[in-house]
C-alpha cells in the first residue's frame, strides 16, 4: 500500500463534497428520469455499528450507480428519533431524552460523512422535531375523521418491564420485541388504527410485489394477515334472545357439530355463565382466573391437556335442530373470529382432543375413504423411487376418530348430512353457504389473523396524541391551528416507567380548552407508537421543510413510490406492513396516485461476529466509526461489498479490510503510472486489455441491478491486474488502453470506494466529480470473444487442436478436449491417469 494515503484522500474529498454538495437531487426543471433510492432510516440509539455500515454501503452503491446511468437520483437520510431506547437511556443517565438523541444524531451524521455516503444533505429530517411530528398529528386526525382511528377497551399486550402497551407486531413469541420481557394481557382503553379494514388490499396487493420484493418477506406478510375463508353461522341459544355467530372454515361439517365452545375471557362467556346456576358461575369464575394467569404461549400450545367448564347452556344447530352443549375452554381465543366455535370433533383435532377429554359425542360427516375425482392421489415412493404398495385400504370404520384419536381432516365425500350427502368438501361448502344464506342463518365470511394496530404508548418520548378529553366526556381533535402540539420540557417530569404516561404528570401541559365550549379540558397523555412516524417518512423527504403540508402531492408524483428500498429483514412485518397501510390510506384520501410505497425491496443479510448476531448485550458490537479509522472508509465499503451476496449473512471476522486496502492501493498505483494524456486515441491501445475494460463496462450494470456487488468488485480486481500487467510487462504505461482502463476503473470503483475514485479521476487529469460522470458505453466490437488455439496432448504427443474463447475456464476446456473426435480416438480403450489443464491453451492427458 506504499504511497497510497487513504486517510488524506478521504479528508480531501469529503471537504470538497461538503463544499460543492454534488449529490443533491435535481429540481423540477431537471428532465432526467428519476430514481428514489432509500435506506431504512437509522434509530439513533448509541453509535452506528457494522450492520449499518453494510446496509448503507449497499444504499450508496445503488444511488451512485443510477447517477452514472443518467438518472436524477434522490438519496436522502433522516433519523427515526423518537422511541423507548432514547427514553430508557435518558432515565438511566438522568438526562433529557432530547439531548441524548440529538447528540447521537450528530455522531451518526459525522460517521456518514466519513463513510462518503452520497446523500442529499439538504433534506435531513428527524421524526422527533416538531416540524416532523406535526404531520404525525395531522395524519392521526385524518384517520380519525375517516373512522380509521378509534378508541376501545380490550385486553392489550403489556410489557411489565417497559411499562407500556405493545402492538401485536411487537410481541415476538410472547415476548417484548424490544426488551425480551414476557408480555402479559391487561384490559385498557387505547387508540387503534383500523388496519383490518385494509386487510384484503394489503394481502391482494402483495401480488404486485412478486419478483420485486424478497419472496420471504411476501410470505411473512401473507401469514401475518392470515386470511381464512369460510362462513359465519348463527346459532340460537336457549334462553337468550340474540343468536351467537361462529366463524368456521369448514361449514360443510355443520351436521357433525356436537357442542359449542366459547372463549372463557369473552363477554359472551361471562354472560352465558351469569345466566346459569350458582355452581356453574363459581366453577366458571375459577376457570377464568386460571386462564388469565396463562401466558399467550401456554394458551396456544396444542400439546397441552384440554381444560374447560360446561356452562349448562345449549345452542341449537340451525340445520338439524340438535341441542349443542356450550362449554368455555381456553383453546378458543376471544379475539379471533367471534370468540366462539361450533365444535366438530370428528374433523378438527382440537375439538376431538376436547371431546375425548370430556366424553362428548363424535359424529363423522365426511367419508375420507371415498375417492374424489380430480384429486391427486398421494403415492409414496421408497428410497429407490418405487411406489410402495399401500396394502389393503382403510375402511371408514378403521378410521373412527373417537377410537383412533385422530381427526379426519382430509378430502372426502359428505355423509350423515342430509342434502349434502355425496358432495365433495368444496362443493359441500358452496352448497351449505347457499342454504344458510337462503335461511338467513349464515353467510360467506372471511376471518383474519391481523388485528387493528394499537398505537397508544404510555411513554414520554413520542408524538403527543392530538386529542382533547372534555369535561362532559367527549373526545375532540386539537384544532388544526394549534398543531403541532409540542412535547413539554422533560425537566422536572418523572419519566420512570410506572404504567401511566409521564405526560399525565405535566400538569400545566395537560390543561386544554374544549374548542367547542371554551370550558377547561384535558389533553390525551399518551404518545404514538413510533411506527406511525416511520409509516410515511419517505414522503416527508420530498419536502422536509415544508411548513404547510405533510408533503406536496406534486413532489410525490415526481419521486414516489420509492424505487429501491434497502434494509434489514427484521422489518419484514412491522414497518413494511404499516407503511403499506398508510400509503393506501393516503391514496384513498386522494393525496397520492400509487398504492404501494416501495417498488422494490432489498434485504441485506446480517453482520455476525463469531457466527452470532452483533449486539450490545452480547458485548460483541464492532462500532462503525472505529472500524473506519485504520483501513479507511473506502476499504471498509469495498470489503463489505466483496464479502458475498447481499442477502447472505457476513461474518465480520472473515471480512478482509486489509485485502481491500491492498486492492485499492493497486488501483491508485495504476492511475499514478499512466503517462498518456486524456486525449489519446484508445482504439490504438492494447486490444486484449481493452476487451477486459469493455467487458466490465458491459456487464457491471446488469450485475448491480441483480445486486451482485461482490461480482463487480471481483471484475474490477481483474481489470486492475490486467492493467498492471500491460504497464509492467506489456506495452507500458503510455499505452492508450492503460489510460482507458484506469478511467473505467475510477468510474466503476466510485460505487465502492468513492474517495479513491475521485482521487484517481483527478490524477488522470479531469476536473469535476467522477461521481457525476455518465457511464461509459461498451464498444460492441470489443465484446466479441477473442478466440485462441488450444492444443490437446495425449502422453506428450499433440493429438488435436481446438478453437476456444480466450476466457474459457479449465472445466469447459477439458470438456471440449474430451469430446474432440481425434482425442477420443487416441484415448480409446486407455485409462486416463492424469489430466493437466492450462486454460486457454493446453490440455494434457496421461494414460500411464
Ligand atoms: C368448525 C370446524 C370444523 C373448523 C373442522 C375447523 C375444522 P383458521 O384456519 O385459523 O382461520 N375457530 C374459529 N374461531 C376460533 C377462535 N376464536 N379460537 C380458536 N379457534 C377458532 O381456523 C378457523 C377454524 O378455527 C374455524 O373453523 C373454527 O373451527 C376455529 F372440521 O369450525 B372450524
Amino acid at each position: 500500500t506504499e504511497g497510497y494515503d487513504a486517510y488524506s484522500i478521504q479528508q480531501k474529498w469529503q471537504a470538497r463534497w461538503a463544499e460543492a454538495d454534488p449529490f443533491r437531487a435535481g429540481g423540477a426543471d431537471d428532465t432526467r428520469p428519476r430514481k428514489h433510492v432509500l435506506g431504512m432510516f437509522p434509530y439513533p440509539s448509541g453509535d452506528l455499528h457494522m450492520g449499518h455500515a453494510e446496509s448503507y454501503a449497499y444504499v450508496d452503491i445503488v444511488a451512485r450507480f443510477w447517477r452514472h446511468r443518467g438518472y436524477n437520483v434522490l438519496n436522502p437520510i433522516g433519523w427515526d428519533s423518537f422511541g423507548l431506547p432514547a427514553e430508557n437511556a435518558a432515565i438511566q443517565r438522568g438526562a433529557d431524552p432530547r439531548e441524548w438523541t440529538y447528540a447521537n444524531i450528530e455522531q451518526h451524521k459525522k460517521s456518514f460523512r466519513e463513510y462518503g455516503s452520497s446523500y442529499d444533505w439538504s433534506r435531513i429530517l428527524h421524526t422527533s422535531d416538531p416540524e416532523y411530528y406535526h404531520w404525525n398529528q395531522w395524519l392521526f386526525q385524518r384517520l380519525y375523521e375517516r373512522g380509521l382511528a378509534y378508541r376501545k377497551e380490550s385486553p392489550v399486550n403489556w410489557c411489565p418491564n417497559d411499562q407500556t402497551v405493545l402492538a401485536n407486531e411487537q410481541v415476538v413469541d410472547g415476548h417484548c420485541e424490544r426488551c425480551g420481557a414476557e408480555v402479559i394481557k391487561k384490559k385498557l382503553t387505547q387508540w387503534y388504527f383500523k388496519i383490518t379494514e385494509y386487510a384484503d388490499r394489503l394481502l391482494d396487493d402483495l401480488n404486485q410485489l412478486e419478483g420485486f420484493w424478497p419472496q420471504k418477506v411476501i410470505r411473512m406478510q401473507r401469514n401475518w394477515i392470515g386470511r381464512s375463508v369460510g362462513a359465519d353461522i348463527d346459532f340460537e341459544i336457549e334462553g337468550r334472545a340474540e343468536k351467537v355467530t361462529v366463524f368456521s372454515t369448514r361449514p360443510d361439517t355443520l351436521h357433525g357439530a356436537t357442542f359449542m365452545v366459547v372463549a372463557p375471557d369473552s363477554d359472551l362467556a361471562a354472560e352465558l355463565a351469569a345466566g346459569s346456576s350458582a355452581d356453574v358461575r363459581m366453577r366458571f369464575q375459577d376457570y377464568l382466573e386460571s386462564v388469565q394467569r396463562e401466558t399467550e404461549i401456554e394458551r396456544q400450545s396444542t400439546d397441552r391437556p384440554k381444560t374447560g367448564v360446561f356452562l349448562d347452556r345449549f345452542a341449537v344447530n340451525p340445520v338439524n335442530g340438535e341441542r349443542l352443549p356450550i362449554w368455555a375452554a381456553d383453546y378458543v381465543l376471544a379475539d379471533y373470529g367471534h370468540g366462539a366455535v361450533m365444535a366438530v370433533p370428528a374433523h378438527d383435532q382440537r375439538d376431538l382432543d376436547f371431546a375425548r377429554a370430556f366424553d362428548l359425542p363424535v359424529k363423522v360427516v365426511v367419508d375420507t375413504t371415498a375417492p374424489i375425482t380430480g384429486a391427486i392421489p398421494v403415492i409414496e415412493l421408497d428410497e429407490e423411487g418405487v411406489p410402495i404398495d399401500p396394502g389393503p385400504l382403510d375402511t371408514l370404520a378403521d378410521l373412527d376418530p373417537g377410537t383412533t384419536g385422530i381427526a379426519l381432516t382430509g378430502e372426502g365425500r359428505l355423509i350423515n348430512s342430509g342434502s349434502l350427502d355425496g358432495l365433495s368438501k368444496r362443493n359441500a361448502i358452496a352448497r351449505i353457504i347457499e342454504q344458510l344464506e337462503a335461511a338467513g342463518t349464515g353467510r360467506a365470511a372471511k376471518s383474519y389473523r391481523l388485528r387493528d394496530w394499537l398505537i397508544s404508548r404510555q411513554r414520554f418520548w413520542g408524538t403527543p396524541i392530538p386529542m382533547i378529553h372534555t369535561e362532559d366526556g367527549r373526545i375532540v381533535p386539537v384544532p388544526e391551528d394549534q398543531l403541532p402540539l409540542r412535547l413539554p420540557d422533560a425537566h422536572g417530569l418523572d419519566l420512570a416507567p410506572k404504567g401511566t404516561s409521564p405526560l399525565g404528570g405535566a400538569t400545566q401541559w395537560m390543561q386544554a380548552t374544549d374548542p367547542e365550549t371554551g370550558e377547561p379540558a384535558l389533553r390525551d397523555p399518551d404518545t404514538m407508537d413510533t411506527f406511525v412516524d416511520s409509516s410515511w417518512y419517505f414522503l416527508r423527504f420530498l419536502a422536509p421543510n415544508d411548513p404547510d403540508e405533510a408533503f406536496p402531492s406534486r413532489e410525490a408524483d415526481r419521486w414516489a413510490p420509492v424505487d429501491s428500498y434497502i434494509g434489514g429483514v427484521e422489518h419484514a412485518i412491522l414497518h413494511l406492513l404499516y407503511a403499506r397501510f398508510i400509503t393506501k390510506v393516503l391514496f384513498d384520501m386522494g393525496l397520492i396516485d400509487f398504492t404501494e410505497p416501495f417498488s422494490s425491496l432489498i434485504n441485506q443479510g446480517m453482520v455476525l461476529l463469531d457466527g452470532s448476531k452483533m449486539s450490545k448485550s452480547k458485548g460483541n458490537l464492532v462500532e462503525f466509526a472505529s472500524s473506519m479509522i485504520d483501513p479507511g472508509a473506502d476499504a471498509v465499503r469495498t470489503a463489505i461489498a466483496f464479502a458475498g451476496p447481499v442477502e447472505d449473512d457476513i461474518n465480520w471476522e472473515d471480512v478482509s479490510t486489509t485485502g481491500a486496502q491492498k486492492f485499492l492501493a493497486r488501483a491508485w498505483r495504476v492511475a499514478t503510472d499512466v503517462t498518456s494524456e486524456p486525449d489519446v486515441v484508445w482504439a490504438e491501445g492494447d486490444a486484449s486489455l481493452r476487451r477486459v475494460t469493455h467487458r466490465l463496462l458491459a456487464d457491471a450494470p446488469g450485475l448491480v441491478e441483480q445486486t451482485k456487488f461482490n461480482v463487480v468488485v471481483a471484475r474490477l480486481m481483474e481489470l486492475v491486474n490486467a492493467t498492471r500487467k500491460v504497464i509492467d510487462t506489456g506495452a507500458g504505461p503510455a499505452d492508450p488502453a492503460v489510460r482507458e482502463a484506469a478511467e473505467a476503473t475510477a468510474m466503476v470503483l466510485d460505487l465502492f470506494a468513492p474517495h479513491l475514485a475521485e482521487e484517481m479521476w483527478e490524477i488522470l487529469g479531469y476536473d469535476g466529480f467522477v461521481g457525476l460522470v455518465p457511464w461509459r458505453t461498451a464498444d460492441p466490437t470489443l465484446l466479441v470473444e477473442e478466440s485462441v488455439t488450444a492444443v490437446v496432448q495425449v502422453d506428450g504427443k499433440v493429438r488435436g487442436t481446438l478453437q476456444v474463447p480466450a476466457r474459457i475456464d479449465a472445466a469447459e476446456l477439458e470438456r471440449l478436449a474430451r469430446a474432440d473426435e481425434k482425442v477420443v480416438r487416441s484415448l480409446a480403450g486407455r485409462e486416463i491417469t492424469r489430466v493437466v489443464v492450462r486454460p486457454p491453451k493446453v490440455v494434457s492427458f496421461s494414460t500411464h
Side-chain angles (χ1 to χ4, degrees), residues 228 247-250 331-333 336 341-342 347-348 350:
S228 292
F247 171 73
S248 176
T249 48
R250 294 291 307 274
Y331 76 96
V332 172
L333 307 172
Y336 186 71
V341 307
M342 66 176 206
H347 304 291
D348 181 280
R350 296 161 299 177

Side-chain angles (χ1 to χ4, degrees), residues 379-388:
I379 302 168
E380 284 196 59
L381 304 179
D382 66 15
E383 278 176 11
E384 264 126 50
V386 181
I388 300 170

Side-chain angles (χ1 to χ4, degrees), residues 25-26 36-42 56 59 73-80 119-127 131-132 135 533-534 536-546 549-552 555-556 558-560 562 565 575 598:
H36 186 166
V37 178
L38 187 62
M40 293 181 184
F41 66 164
Y56 296 109
V59 173
V73 172
L74 171 59
N75 179 211
I77 183 78
W79 279 267
D80 189 12
Y119 294 126
D120 179 338
W121 291 99
S122 69
R123 293 174 186 255
I124 285 175
L125 63 82
H126 318 116
T127 59
E131 293 71 25
Y132 185 89
W135 304 107
D533 313 5
S534 53
W536 68 280
Y537 76 109
F538 55 96
L539 290 166
R540 187 68 187 162
F541 279 128
L542 310 185
N545 304 313
D546 189 332
E549 42 186 351
F551 57 89
E555 291 294 308
R558 297 177 63 221
W559 286 114
V562 173
Y565 197 37
H575 161 55
F598 311 119

Side-chain angles (χ1 to χ4, degrees), residues 21 81 102 140 159 164 171 199 236 263 300 319 327 411 523 638 672 691 701 708 736 809:
D21 204 6
S81 48
Y102 285 89
F140 179 100
C159 173
T164 186
V171 181
E236 301 261 13
Q300 289 186 30
V319 286
W327 289 67
E411 286 293 334
R523 300 206 177 284
T638 306
T672 57
R691 281 201 173 82
K708 292 183 176 163
D809 65 22

Side-chain angles (χ1 to χ4, degrees), residues 761-826:
W761 199 242
E762 190 182 66
I763 292 169
L764 291 166
Y766 293 102
D767 289 335
F769 295 107
V770 72
L772 304 178
V773 164
W775 196 266
R776 293 244 168 108
T777 359
D779 177 348
T781 62
L782 289 167
L783 300 177
V784 180
E785 280 275 359
E786 202 181 355
S787 79
V788 294
T789 306
V791 296
V792 187
Q793 303 175 333
V794 176
D795 294 330
K797 294 200 186 78
V798 175
R799 294 296 185 187
T801 57
L802 302 164
Q803 276 314 112
V804 298
R807 281 160 47 84
I808 195 163
D809 65 22
E812 177 64 5
L813 183 58
E814 181 179 338
R815 197 187 64 76
L816 291 176
R818 283 176 183 269
D820 184 84
E821 223 179 296
K822 285 185 198 144
V823 178
V824 169
R825 244 182 286 132
S826 66

